[in-house]
């Protein structure tokens, strides 16, 4: 049983390393403030919103988009061939709001994934100094655009993105959201993302403000047309090209709601979970095996040490201690996202279960990609041949 002792020691060190990556970001998770001198004149901003089958979300989110207090704002919403009352709701809103323009999406050509094609249509139809991509399920504070522009100006960045508040009420919502968000904070620490000397880059596609000249210099949507994680790829390309970015977290400026039931969560994450493994089956299987070993070893070691299974007293005590320490470090890695999401602290102890749930969803995502004809989302199928992995590698 020295194997479990050795593994528990290695995993404890591994979780200490993960903790050292994500905890410094805790101080960086602060609300953006309207500080500094207001730009004069205010630069023009074109808000572009893709919308497909959003009749349930638009009554809650659309009024917040239209109530922005930014003086130089145009709002373009692309109805992506919706099959519900989305088009009717948008048409009604456009009659009351002169800043709002509705575009009817056209058929997606081969080689494009759904969202990038819709955004491409919006970009071509607008003219502005800044482009703001906003998801249709995002609710904004009245001053969100104004503060974002002021922050981008003050920080002298070319991309300003906001990680929104994600409302999670049920056990399954909290568990699944916390697992994915915590893994991202370890892989993409916020302090590294915002450091121009580091290549680490990620952005939130739900609120993505970018200078148009930089967007065009990077190839616009053409450069990411096959990326299912286009926001990540765009941020990586931007930093690689020497431009500056800032990723902020806000519970006030932007918010959304996590998928509803467990079935909704599974469907929502299933569509792109495999993309995080670069659509590579061997990378996925090996990383899954390593990941599940790392997350469960502290628990197994703690139980084995407690019960003394096949261990002498000194080794049992040491194994128990290493398991407890590893589990504690693992739980502490979730603290930044627990604080941001505002969920109960005891969920941190369930991270092994949370990671396993996400891995199971990723397995079904991999099945869809290789054997199921591609993922489905909002009654639409996507050809795997159109996808490129959202990584820094081509």
């Amino acid at each position: 049983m020295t194997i479990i002792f050795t593994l528990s020691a290695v995993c404890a060190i591994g979780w200490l390393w993960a903790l050292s990556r994500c905890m410094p970001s805790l101080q960086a998770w602060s609300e953006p403030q309207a500080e500094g001198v207001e730009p004069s004149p205010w630069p023009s901003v074109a808000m572009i919103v893709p919308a497909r089958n959003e009749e349930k979300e638009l009554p809650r989110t659309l009024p917040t988009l239209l109530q922005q207090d930014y003086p130089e704002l145009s709002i373009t919403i692309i109805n992506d061939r919706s099959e519900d009352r989305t088009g009717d709701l948008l048409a009604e809103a456009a009659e009351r709001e002169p800043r709002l323009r509705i575009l009817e999406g056209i058929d997606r050509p081969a080689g494009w994934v759904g969202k990038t094609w819709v955004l491409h249509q919006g970009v071509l139809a607008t003219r502005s100094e800044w482009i703001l991509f906003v998801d249709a399920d995002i609710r904004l504070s009245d001053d969100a655009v104004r503060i974002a522009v002021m922050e981008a100006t003050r920080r002298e960045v070319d991309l300003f993105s906001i990680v929104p508040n994600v409302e999670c009420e049920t056990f399954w919502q909290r568990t699944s959201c916390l697992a994915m968000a915590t893994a991202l904070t370890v892989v993409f620490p916020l302090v590294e993302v915002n450091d121009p000397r580091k290549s680490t880059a990620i952005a939130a596609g739900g609120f993505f403000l970018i200078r148009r000249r930089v967007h065009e210099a990077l190839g616009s949507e053409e450069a990411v047309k096959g990326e299912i994680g286009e926001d990540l790829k765009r941020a990586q390309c931007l930093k690689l090209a020497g431009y500056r970015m800032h990723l902020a977290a806000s519970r006030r400026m932007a918010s959304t709601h996590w998928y509803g039931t467990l079935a909704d969560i599974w469907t929502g994450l299933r569509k792109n979970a495999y993309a995080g493994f670069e659509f590579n089956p061997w990378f996925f299987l090996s990383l899954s095996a390593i990941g599940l070993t790392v997350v469960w070893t502290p628990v197994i070691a703690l139980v084995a040490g407690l019960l003394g299974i096949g261990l002498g007293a000194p080794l049992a005590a040491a194994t128990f201690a290493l398991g407890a320490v590893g589990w504690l470090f693992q739980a502490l890695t979730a603290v930044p996202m627990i604080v941001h999401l505002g969920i109960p602290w005891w969920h941190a102890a369930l991270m092994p279960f949370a990671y396993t749930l996400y891995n199971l969803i990723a397995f079904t995502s991999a099945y869809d990609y290789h054997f199921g004809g591609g993922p489905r989302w909002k009654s639409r199928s996507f050809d795997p041949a159109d996808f490129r992995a959202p990584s820094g590698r081509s």
Side-chain angles (χ1 to χ4, degrees):
M1 293 296 290
T2 55
I3 294 177
I4 187 64
F5 173 80
T6 304
L7 276 176
S8 62
V10 171
C11 289
I13 295 172
W15 283 112
L16 178 60
W17 170 83
L19 185 61
S20 71
R21 285 182 61 79
C22 66
M23 285 304 287
S25 297
L26 187 59
Q27 293 182 337
W29 291 84
S30 57
E31 285 283 343
Q33 303 295 325
E35 299 176 346
V37 179
E38 294 184 352
S40 181
W42 288 95
S44 57
V45 176
M47 180 189 295
I48 298 174
V49 185
R52 176 172 171 80
N53 296 346
E54 299 286 359
E55 66 175 358
K56 294 181 179 179
E57 296 291 344
L58 287 176
R60 298 187 304 122
T61 62
L62 185 55
T64 72
L65 306 185
L66 302 179
Q67 291 169 5
Q68 292 302 301
D69 61 10
Y70 193 76
E72 297 295 330
L73 177 68
S74 66
I75 304 171
T76 300
I77 302 181
I78 304 93
N79 179 21
D80 186 20
R81 308 180 71 80
S82 297
E83 300 165 338
D84 58 7
R85 294 190 62 251
T86 294
D88 295 335
L89 294 174
L90 294 177
E92 294 171 6
E95 293 179 357
R96 303 187 304 269
E97 175 54 64
R99 294 189 298 180
L100 176 60
R101 178 185 181 188
I102 308 301
L103 297 181
E104 293 298 326
I106 59 178
D107 287 338
R108 174 172 55 94
W112 290 77
V113 295
K115 186 176 180 180
T116 57
W117 174 240
V118 179
L119 297 179
H120 180 64
Q121 297 172 68
V123 170
L124 292 180
T126 57
R127 295 290 181 270
S128 62
E129 296 170 74
W130 289 83
I131 301 170
L132 174 59
F133 298 120
V134 177
D135 285 348
D137 61 351
I138 295 287
R139 299 190 304 278
L140 301 179
S141 63
D142 293 353
D143 57 0
V145 177
R146 178 168 54 84
I147 291 180
V149 171
M150 289 185 66
E151 280 283 273
T153 302
R154 179 174 70 88
R155 296 180 181 276
E156 298 181 337
V157 296
D158 305 291
L159 165 62
F160 183 83
S161 184
I162 293 177
V163 178
N165 174 45
V166 183
E167 298 169 0
C168 302
E169 292 90 20
T170 70
F171 171 81
W172 295 113
Q173 289 174 337
R174 293 166 177 166
T175 300
S176 58
C177 186
L178 186 60
M180 186 179 73
T182 300
L184 290 175
T185 62
V186 174
V187 179
F188 304 99
L190 196 61
V191 290
E192 291 188 10
V193 170
N194 293 334
D195 187 343
R197 298 167 298 181
K198 301 285 188 178
S199 61
T200 307
I202 192 173
F207 191 102
F208 192 104
L209 178 69
I210 186 170
R211 294 184 193 272
R212 183 179 290 269
R213 61 174 175 79
V214 173
H215 186 65
E216 293 174 349
L218 295 174
S220 194
E221 264 53 51
E222 285 277 355
V224 294
K225 65 179 183 180
E227 302 286 347
I228 197 169
E230 87 292 337
D231 46 2
L232 170 60
K233 184 66 175 182
R234 216 188 312 260
Q236 290 174 334
C237 291
L238 181 138
K239 286 195 80 173
L240 187 63
Y243 296 107
R244 296 167 60 92
M245 66 167 291
H246 186 83
L247 178 64
S250 176
R251 291 182 56 82
R252 187 189 70 83
M253 289 174 58
S255 62
T256 188
H257 197 278
W258 196 240
Y259 306 107
T261 65
L262 177 59
D264 295 331
I265 294 167
W266 204 290
T267 301
L269 296 180
R270 180 175 183 168
K271 70 181 184 297
N272 54 14
Y274 190 44
F277 300 90
E278 304 181 12
F279 305 114
N280 184 318
W282 302 114
F283 180 53
F284 169 63
L285 291 173
S286 59
L287 198 60
S288 295
I290 294 171
L292 291 174
T293 299
V294 169
V295 299
W296 281 106
T297 291
V299 180
I300 295 172
L302 191 150
V303 173
L306 181 65
L307 300 179
I309 300 174
L311 300 168
L315 190 58
T319 301
F320 175 85
L322 285 171
V325 169
W327 198 359
L328 174 63
F329 289 164
Q330 181 186 126
L332 289 176
T333 61
V335 168
M337 290 313 304
I338 283 178
V339 172
H340 176 63
L341 296 172
I343 67 178
W345 286 80
W346 56 265
H347 277 275
L350 302 180
M351 294 308 292
F353 175 76
Y355 286 128
T356 302
L357 173 65
Y358 188 80
N359 202 252
L360 289 173
I361 296 174
F363 266 100
T364 57
S365 178
Y367 176 86
D368 290 343
Y369 183 85
H370 290 289
F371 308 108
R376 290 184 59 82
W377 180 240
K378 295 186 177 181
S379 71
R380 178 182 283 167
S381 297
F382 296 94
D383 187 348
D386 290 337
F387 290 160
R388 291 203 303 267
S391 73
R393 297 183 290 274
S394 56

